Amino acid sequence: MRRRTGALTVTAAALLCLSSGCGVPPSGVIEVGEPATGMTLSKAVYFLNAESSLHAVARPEIPDTNPVAAAVRELLAGPTPTESEYLTTALPPDLPQPEITVAATTILIRFPEGTPRLTPAALHQLTCTTTLATHPTRPRPAPPSGAAAAPRQTPPTIHITTPNTPPQPTPTPAPCP
């Protein structure tokens, strides 16, 4: 019986020590700056998931004077081997790099002779990737109380052409995710 009482006393003492914080004194509030607002998604390409829905995949920042050309180049390279396990692309294999002209409100993507006609899913991938390259999505902080929200910038109009097809604004079948 004494042995059991001694073991209970040691266990109770250990629990009391653990519950007391082991001698770490409490601290006051530590200021660390503004709360996080989220990441900026500015360098990404859009591939298709198993449900054929667009899925943005981040890409590392690569210094380039033409972010649209860089984004399209990354898109045409296709999913990485790891991404290929769950993503695909509607773009034909070996699609050539198009000529890209970027103006203030319009982007023209012109593919060379021999380019096959692109499917609506392929056009959607190109449109969303291009839109993101020129118009990064950023979390928008709430305006101060009583202030009007800043107007959103309108994304550019994107024209995608293949040979023997006149340039037309490319309709987006669904909003970009």
Side-chain angles (χ1 to χ4, degrees):
M1 190 63 125
R2 281 187 164 192
R3 191 180 249 171
R4 192 172 202 192
T5 305
L8 285 175
T9 303
V10 170
T11 302
L15 286 174
L16 182 62
C17 179
L18 287 175
S19 67
S20 69
C22 299
V24 177
S27 65
V29 175
I30 300 171
E31 294 293 330
V32 294
E34 294 294 316
T37 58
M39 292 177 32
T40 298
L41 183 60
S42 62
K43 184 71 164 120
V45 294
Y46 284 91
F47 294 118
L48 302 171
N49 61 21
E51 292 81 32
S52 297
S53 298
L54 288 181
H55 180 82
V57 179
R59 290 291 186 253
E61 285 291 335
I62 299 170
D64 197 308
T65 56
N66 187 339
V68 174
V72 170
R73 199 170 32 253
E74 292 281 334
L75 177 64
L76 295 181
T80 65
T82 302
E83 293 165 352
S84 293
E85 293 176 15
Y86 60 95
L87 296 173
T88 188
T89 182
L91 296 163
D94 302 320
L95 193 63
Q97 180 71 23
E99 176 187 329
I100 299 173
T101 307
V102 179
T105 60
T106 305
I107 297 172
L108 176 61
I109 300 174
R110 191 173 317 141
F111 284 94
E113 285 293 327
T115 302
R117 185 173 289 256
L118 300 176
T119 65
L123 292 171
H124 200 195
Q125 281 183 261
L126 277 163
T127 302
C128 289
T129 297
T130 302
T131 300
L132 183 61
T134 59
H135 212 73
T137 59
R138 290 185 169 84
R140 293 174 46 118
S145 179
R152 285 195 181 269
Q153 289 182 317
T154 304
T157 301
I158 300 168
H159 301 274
I160 301 173
T161 64
T162 54
N164 305 319
T165 304
Q168 301 173 10
T170 303
T172 304
C176 299

